[in-house]
Amino acid sequence: MNRIARSLAAVCGVLAVAAGTTACGSSNDHSASTTSAGTPTVRSGIPDSAKKFDVSSPDLKDGQPVPQAQWANSNGCTGGNQAPRVQWSGAPADAKSFAVTMFDVDAPTGSGLWHWLSWDIPASATDLAAAPGAVAGTNDLGMTGYLGPCPPTGDGLHHYWITVLALDTPSLGLPANTPPALAAFALNHRIIGYARMTVTAQQ
């Protein structure tokens, strides 16, 4: 095994231990989607076996632009950076906790951009506001909590997945400063159900 392969194996081992799995790539969602031109896009991370349920928000509408109140107030943007209220219903009865995430699939990074991750939300919760003890994770800009959209000027329409995940564990056992990719990896191996809306932003 060459040095690169050994390094990759070591990283996979660390991620697998954190997620409670046996190896990298053990999620049921093995297929990456592609564009019409055949270019691979960011994988959703949702296993095929996950049950769908419903998500809504008084602040956002599925398929519609993000209001200015929820835009970022940094990196050249002057929004309110207010985290949207997120509510859900019809989740699997055997869910032991929930997580809420927001991900920009069109960010010019080659790997999307995590704007928001919150996990260890109690199984009794049906909205994020009533979630005592939930962990406010770190986004891809290294800040804790919610980071609103601020796509580059002229970059075209960005799509943001706001996803509620029903999990098979009451706690991920991860600290708030866990890197977003590692937190997402751990989440994706615990999913039993999900609800998702897509909102947009452009400047």
Side-chain angles (χ1 to χ4, degrees), residues 13 18 20 34 49 56 62 72 82 84 93 117 136 154 159 167 175 189-190 196:
T34 59
S49 59
S56 61
D62 190 34
Q82 297 176 11
L117 300 100
H159 298 80
L167 308 177
H189 286 80
R190 296 295 188 179
R196 174 175 287 166

Side-chain angles (χ1 to χ4, degrees), residues 30-42:
H30 292 295
S31 58
S33 59
T34 59
T35 65
S36 58
T39 303
T41 61
V42 177

Side-chain angles (χ1 to χ4, degrees), residues 4-71:
I4 294 175
R6 286 196 301 271
S7 299
L8 179 58
V11 171
C12 286
V14 171
L15 293 175
V17 169
T21 62
T22 57
C24 286
S26 58
S27 169
N28 291 339
D29 179 18
H30 292 295
S31 58
S33 59
T34 59
T35 65
S36 58
T39 303
T41 61
V42 177
R43 290 169 58 171
S44 74
I46 304 293
D48 293 338
S49 59
K51 300 176 183 178
K52 291 190 69 174
F53 55 100
D54 297 317
V55 61
S56 61
S57 171
D59 305 310
L60 305 172
K61 292 185 179 180
D62 190 34
Q64 297 299 309
V66 176
Q68 192 68 16
Q70 276 71 47
W71 274 62

Side-chain angles (χ1 to χ4, degrees), residues 168-189:
D168 66 359
T169 180
S171 176
L172 293 181
L174 296 176
N177 63 353
T178 301
L182 176 55
F185 183 90
L187 285 168
N188 288 348
H189 286 80

Side-chain angles (χ1 to χ4, degrees), residues 89-201:
S89 61
D94 54 345
K96 296 182 179 179
S97 71
F98 294 96
V100 173
T101 67
M102 178 173 167
F103 183 70
D104 178 2
V105 299
D106 297 304
T109 62
S111 57
L113 187 78
W114 290 103
H115 281 256
W116 194 21
L117 300 100
S118 182
W119 59 86
D120 289 6
I121 299 168
S124 58
T126 56
D127 65 80
L128 191 54
V135 176
T138 303
N139 57 52
D140 265 331
L141 267 66
M143 299 181 294
T144 299
Y146 176 78
L147 172 67
C150 185
T153 301
D155 199 46
L157 190 67
H158 282 223
H159 298 80
Y160 300 81
W161 290 339
I162 295 180
T163 309
V164 181
L165 302 171
L167 308 177
D168 66 359
T169 180
S171 176
L172 293 181
L174 296 176
N177 63 353
T178 301
L182 176 55
F185 183 90
L187 285 168
N188 288 348
H189 286 80
R190 296 295 188 179
I191 297 171
I192 60 172
Y194 78 103
R196 174 175 287 166
M197 67 167 59
T198 301
V199 291
T200 63

